[in-house]
Amino acid sequence: MNNYSEIYKKELLDNVIPFWLEKSKDDVNGGYFTCLDREGNVFDTDKFMWLQGREVWMFATLYNKLEQKQEWLDMALHGADFMEKYGRDEEGNWYFSLNQKGEPLVQPYNIFSDCFAAMGFGALYEATKDEKYAEIAKSTFENILKRKNNTKGHYNKIYPGTRDLKSFSLPMILSNLSIELEPVLDKSLIDQLIKDSIHEVMDVFYHEDSGLILENVNLDGSFSDSFEGRLVNPGHTIEAMWFMMDLGKRINDEALIKRSVDIAINALEFGWDKKDEGIFYFLDLKGAPTQQLEWDQKLWWVQT
Amino acid sequence: MNNYSEIYKKELLDNVIPFWLEKSKDDVNGGYFTCLDREGNVFDTDKFMWLQGREVWMFATLYNKLEQKQEWLDMALHGADFMEKYGRDEEGNWYFSLNQKGEPLVQPYNIFSDCFAAMGFGALYEATKDEKYAEIAKSTFENILKRKNNTKGHYNKIYPGTRDLKSFSLPMILSNLSIELEPVLDKSLIDQLIKDSIHEVMDVFYHEDSGLILENVNLDGSFSDSFEGRLVNPGHTIEAMWFMMDLGKRINDEALIKRSVDIAINALEFGWDKKDEGIFYFLDLKGAPTQQLEWDQKLWWVQT
């Protein structure tokens, strides 16, 4: 184990981080290039707010947790500056993408740009103690909560009333935010958020019969026998269980950690491709075909 | 060639069509089941309007072109009845999907349900000469034209003004509709539609330098060096060239037919997977990665 941790640390610090430091900074327009080929050449200049937010978070977090290197902090500030200037619409919602100069391309049609922005600015506040960043993280988080009953707003294609479902992505991301935003939110809010997230993930979206986490359930938490209701995303489950383990450590709950490990292993077994190895992207709980064409792909984030 | 045509005809009439006749009819709620496994068991009961419309079209067209079998016409009427009752919202736009009983699940967020509905009812009018069906096909077609400058309405996620593109799918589907709806539309409208479609496909979306058809171009027809602008869908191109060949026959334009064959062969060569064979789903004109995760899949419709 120790051995692996050395290999990964060395690869991260000697190879991955210097690559992004050197190649992804847009010195002309601000922000980061994120569409890079293996040599670091930019093959597209669009700026996706998920990735801008995650890169701010990454460099701020390296600074916070590993070493207070000025170049890491500067790189985080470089992206945050661009995001602050161009990233939001008039209501403070984060766009999905901008062009190279920062002009909006795709509307804020869901809340995930906001989630990654909140995490980035939260980590940057921790690094700088500049209240401006806490304020952006906080107001973004409040916006997420405001939108949580219809995260897609008027972009939502679901006809209301026929089959109202709730999606796992919201409690999942809130469980992550509840740890990441601890420095900027009130303690009572964090405590409530942690409690609610654990309940939603481990009781509501957990499917007793299969021991798996479902991607969508009826509003009362029951199983919906539909394409959406039968959908299982093993990588999502494993990621959520890692958040649950973090929360277990945070609130000192050994039983939660143990249960999370069990569910993660179960998801890994269910999602494993016995023929070609790796973890499937999407599966149907009952073994039917999924609507997702990409169901059998081996996405990098699912495997990591 | 003759030999293949015999094999396909036999397979279609002795195997495929009887399978759908027997297995896809929902006798309780009307309409068709379209999520069938290889044995014909229903694994999901949702009713997608694309597929309802296409099945009405298929049985009506078999009746029109091949043989006036009553069971084919009855099957087309069975689906049309369900579509007519439940398929549209108050403005006459066709929903994307309904549940088994016909209650709306997904809103009319684009015009493709409408396209396939128009084709189905157009073919059914040809089969029955019932003006009711011509009326549905016609009003649906008018709705498509009304929505053509913003086919997705308020579901459109593109921020207006930064990078306004037009999409190949509209002229492509209009070129198909211009032939399919000939029985129900005015001759002058059809002639104009044919002229416009050929111009859009063969001049505007055709990319001189590569000899390929682009999926998206700037409003003035020029190339957009972006993920959307570089996108090539070889299967789309081949399908569009088949529509162009049909139009070439219809208006007696040998040069159009020859050019369509050349472009189709070029798309086939560009899209061919030299390692594992088959046609890729999406490619980037400049060889960069695409945003579509499913880019390297070998979809059935692309191959056929």
Side-chain angles (χ1 to χ4, degrees), chain A residues 35 43-44 46 48 99 104-107 109 154-157 159 162-163 227 230 288-289 291 293 297, chain B residues 35 43-44 46 48 99 104-107 109 154-157 159 162-163 227 230 288-289 291 293 297:
Chain A
C35 299
F43 67 83
D44 198 273
D46 284 356
F48 302 93
N99 68 9
L105 281 174
V106 176
Q107 304 274 14
Y109 69 89
H154 68 78
Y155 304 101
N156 188 354
K157 299 169 189 163
Y159 188 95
T162 307
R163 183 188 293 153
F227 277 112
R230 293 189 303 268
Q291 288 189 303
L293 295 175
Q297 296 197 336
Chain B
C35 300
F43 68 81
D44 197 273
D46 284 355
F48 302 92
N99 69 8
L105 281 174
V106 176
Q107 302 275 13
Y109 69 90
H154 69 77
Y155 303 102
N156 187 354
K157 298 169 191 163
Y159 187 94
T162 307
R163 184 189 292 152
F227 278 112
R230 293 190 302 269
Q291 287 189 303
L293 295 176
Q297 295 198 335

Side-chain angles (χ1 to χ4, degrees), chain B residues 212-263:
Chain B
L212 294 166
I213 302 278
L214 301 174
E215 286 297 299
N216 301 284
V217 295
N218 290 319
L219 296 186
D220 66 2
S222 62
F223 173 64
S224 162
D225 193 356
S226 59
F227 278 112
E228 304 84 359
R230 293 190 302 269
L231 192 65
V232 177
N233 180 328
H236 243 179
T237 302
I238 295 166
E239 195 179 359
M241 291 308 110
W242 138 43
F243 298 157
M244 289 298 118
M245 293 174 214
D246 281 350
L247 287 176
K249 274 208 287 199
R250 164 73 176 65
I251 61 171
N252 229 331
D253 184 340
E254 271 300 323
L256 175 61
I257 296 176
K258 200 192 153 318
R259 232 188 118 204
S260 306
V261 173
D262 291 344
I263 295 174

